[in-house]
Amino acid sequence: MRHYSSDRDIDRYVRRLLRSGWTFWWGSKHGKLRHPRSKALVTVPTSPSDPRSLKNLQRDVRHAFKVK
């Protein structure tokens, strides 16, 4: 089983996005997500130290979804 982040909640969230059509690939240090209808990129923290990392990722995903 592949892990996208060391944080369990972020890993589950990324898996849910991938099932809904998002694309994931590894950058040099972090993972990247792209919505199928947007060119905006979202960076996935692989080993987050901030307790708000999941909330920040969710915010970035909402913003990427709105950008055309």
Side-chain angles (χ1 to χ4, degrees), residues 43-61:
T43 303
V44 177
T46 55
S47 57
S49 58
D50 184 5
R52 293 191 40 84
S53 294
L54 177 61
K55 297 286 185 190
N56 293 337
L57 177 61
Q58 290 169 336
R59 180 204 58 217
D60 294 344
V61 165

Side-chain angles (χ1 to χ4, degrees), residues 23-58:
T23 306
F24 179 89
W25 70 95
W26 287 103
S28 60
K29 293 186 179 183
H30 300 287
K32 310 277 187 208
L33 283 169
R34 178 177 286 154
H35 188 271
R37 293 177 293 182
S38 175
K39 294 189 184 226
L41 295 177
V42 176
T43 303
V44 177
T46 55
S47 57
S49 58
D50 184 5
R52 293 191 40 84
S53 294
L54 177 61
K55 297 286 185 190
N56 293 337
L57 177 61
Q58 290 169 336

